[in-house]
Amino acid sequence: MTTGFQHLHSFLAYIVLAGIIFSFISALIGALSGKEFTEKDRKFGLIGMILAHIQLLVGIGVYFLSPLGLSNLSGETMGDSMSRLYALEHPLINIIAIALITIGYSRAKKLTESKSRFRSIYMFYGIAFVMILSRIPWDAWLN
Ligand code: HEM
Ligand code: HEM
């Protein structure tokens, strides 16, 4: 089961990152073109958000199952940058990033001015995207 969760989390990472970029670019184009924010634009933002939520759920599962997650969180392992990344930095930063995505999306739903609604999505998703990239275990993922 642990291996299944690890593979799912690793595979979903591609889809989530693609989904966030898609939502980001479509909101940016919307803002720059000055068009009205429609139901279609809300759904384009929703794509990135739902994928992020699914990855959050799977990530929490991996965190409890994997030997690199919670079970490796201790004072001793904090001195090792790779252990700290898996047990602390990657989970923490990604939870914050996904919270930002959720805030950006719900603000876009509540705001009334089209440009602000697009901006809420591209700003929050953009910041979240950079945060997520900053804490990916690249060596493990792409090898
Ligand atoms: C640990 C897991 C999760 C947490 C903590 C979480 C948290 C949240 C929160 C706080 C909201 C409210 C956003 C708002 O203000 O509208 C929300 C909405 C939503 N979440 Fe999640 N979520 C989780 C997992 C999931 C999963 C697994 C899915 C999809 C399969 C999902 C899909 C959605 C959808 C569709 C919405 C509503 C979006 C809308 O308002 O249009 N979430 N979630
Ligand atoms: C958008 C959000 C996220 C992305 C894109 C992401 C991506 C990744 C990637 C690419 C890996 C390396 C996979 C590999 O070795 O092939 C990984 C590992 C891991 N992630 Fe995430 N992650 C996200 C969120 C989270 C969250 C929220 C948690 C926990 C709460 C989490 C916990 C873990 C753990 C524990 C590992 C190590 C698993 C292992 O190899 O045993 N991730 N993640």
Side-chain angles (χ1 to χ4, degrees), residues 6 9-10 13 16-17 20 55-56 59-60 62-63 66-69 86 90-91 94-95 98 132 136-137 140-141:
Q6 285 165 330
H9 190 68
S10 180
V16 178
L17 292 176
I20 297 173
Q55 181 72 320
L56 172 65
I60 292 171
V62 183
Y63 191 66
S66 162
L68 296 171
Y86 281 114
H90 172 83
N94 283 331
I95 289 172
I98 295 167
I132 294 168
I136 294 239
W141 193 32

Side-chain angles (χ1 to χ4, degrees), residues 57-141:
L57 199 64
V58 176
I60 292 171
V62 183
Y63 191 66
F64 287 105
L65 292 168
S66 162
L68 296 171
L70 181 65
S71 61
N72 200 34
L73 184 69
S74 74
E76 277 155 57
T77 55
M78 286 302 101
D80 174 41
S81 65
M82 218 48 201
S83 302
R84 197 172 61 235
L85 176 65
Y86 281 114
L88 183 66
E89 297 172 3
H90 172 83
L92 184 64
I93 294 291
N94 283 331
I95 289 172
I96 297 171
I98 295 167
L100 287 178
I101 287 176
T102 311
I103 294 168
Y105 171 79
S106 19
R107 281 181 83 241
K109 273 201 311 187
K110 282 178 208 130
L111 290 165
T112 49
E113 206 225 326
S114 284
K115 198 162 199 131
S116 324
R117 301 178 80 179
F118 283 122
R119 195 190 303 129
S120 181
I121 295 184
Y122 77 71
M123 293 243 307
F124 280 85
Y125 286 43
I127 294 167
F129 188 71
V130 174
M131 288 171 69
I132 294 168
L133 289 191
S134 80
R135 289 297 176 276
I136 294 239
W138 292 104
D139 293 348
W141 193 32

